[in-house]
Amino acid sequence: MNAEIRKVRQGDAKTLAYIQTESWKAAFAGILDAETLAKCTDADRATAMYQRLLDENKGNGYLLSVDGTPHCIAYWDAARDAAFRGKAELICIGGRIRRGRLVGVPGKPPRQSLLRSKRFHDDRTFKTGV
């Protein structure tokens, strides 16, 4: 199994939106009512948000892929609230993991358990800044 973490780039908006909306569906099903969950997981709206962030080169976004299949994202930027100047504001952190197993994107099969993977536990250091 080959795990890779890279900075997001142009062309990633649909993938980022898919991972975010599907992870929200899995995490909040049974917690939020169906109407609220549908509104919060609108793929077109999420895709537009990520495309805007990519176009403006805004924030710090990273994408984890396993064997070439995207699975997890982390995206943040500087806090917008003046009271939190110098702090980070989380845009999204999410992944397609269900019961300890990776869940792939459409057209790609799920892979072996990420949580059992040695590569998942390797130390990785990123200089990100806010």
Side-chain angles (χ1 to χ4, degrees):
M1 178 184 333
N2 181 35
E4 173 193 27
I5 299 173
R6 66 165 175 81
K7 188 144 177 60
V8 297
R9 58 183 174 235
Q10 283 294 339
D12 286 339
K14 270 185 115 162
T15 298
L16 296 167
Y18 178 80
I19 293 171
Q20 177 183 325
T21 57
E22 291 301 305
S23 64
W24 270 59
K25 288 175 189 175
F28 294 107
I31 296 171
L32 297 175
D33 62 83
E35 183 180 336
T36 301
L37 186 57
K39 182 179 176 184
C40 293
T41 57
D42 180 276
D44 291 335
R45 185 173 170 205
T47 300
M49 176 194 72
Y50 283 112
Q51 190 59 59
R52 188 172 54 256
L53 291 170
L54 292 167
D55 288 346
E56 296 172 6
N57 197 28
K58 191 161 179 61
N60 301 283
Y62 290 87
L63 180 64
L64 165 71
S65 294
V66 178
D67 293 336
T69 302
H71 289 283
C72 303
I73 60 174
Y75 215 124
W76 68 95
D77 197 11
R80 293 174 286 177
D81 189 325
F84 297 103
R85 188 174 318 278
K87 308 289 184 201
E89 180 174 336
L90 188 61
I91 295 169
C92 180
I93 189 163
R96 300 287 297 132
I97 300 175
R98 188 177 300 134
R99 286 182 242 123
R101 297 189 65 79
L102 291 172
V103 180
V105 296
K108 297 261 188 169
R111 304 293 184 196
Q112 76 179 39
S113 173
L114 176 63
L115 301 179
R116 290 186 308 211
S117 166
K118 179 187 179 314
R119 286 183 179 258
F120 181 75
H121 297 284
D122 289 347
D123 285 333
R124 298 183 187 280
T125 304
F126 297 97
K127 293 186 186 284
T128 54
V130 177

